[in-house]
Amino acid sequence: MSHHQLEKWFWRSMLILAGILLILGFLSGNLMMWIMALTIGILVRYCAYDLLFADFDAKADEIRQRYFKKKEAK
């Protein structure tokens, strides 16, 4: 695996960990787990958003542009 793929797997596992902490914190009523999940989510947002979601954003932008073109054509 290349460094790029390993980095993606790391950040994906961090998102999964944040989701698990969020659910466990909700079920147990433990506020500290919620704070940890929020912290991990913020770290992913600022450190790895482009790495993980760049393809999705490009596809969403393309769909949005096609929608506006169809809307303007009417």
Side-chain angles (χ1 to χ4, degrees):
M1 265 194 219
S2 71
H3 176 71
H4 184 71
Q5 289 175 331
L6 289 174
E7 192 175 1
K8 270 189 166 182
W9 278 106
F10 171 75
W11 287 112
R12 286 178 182 161
S13 65
M14 292 302 285
L15 279 175
I16 292 169
L17 176 64
I20 290 170
L21 285 173
L22 188 68
I23 292 169
L24 288 177
F26 176 73
L27 293 176
S28 68
N30 189 345
L31 185 62
M32 191 60 169
M33 286 189 193
W34 280 58
I35 293 170
M36 288 299 295
L38 178 65
T39 304
I40 292 170
I42 290 170
L43 281 173
V44 170
R45 170 67 176 103
Y46 287 109
C47 296
Y49 186 83
D50 292 337
L51 177 69
L52 295 176
F53 301 110
D55 294 338
F56 175 76
D57 285 344
K59 288 178 185 176
D61 191 40
E62 179 184 330
I63 291 170
R64 192 176 305 117
Q65 292 299 327
R66 280 190 276 154
Y67 172 75
F68 285 132
K69 283 182 182 178
K70 286 181 183 178
K71 192 174 179 180
E72 287 174 358
K74 287 184 179 182

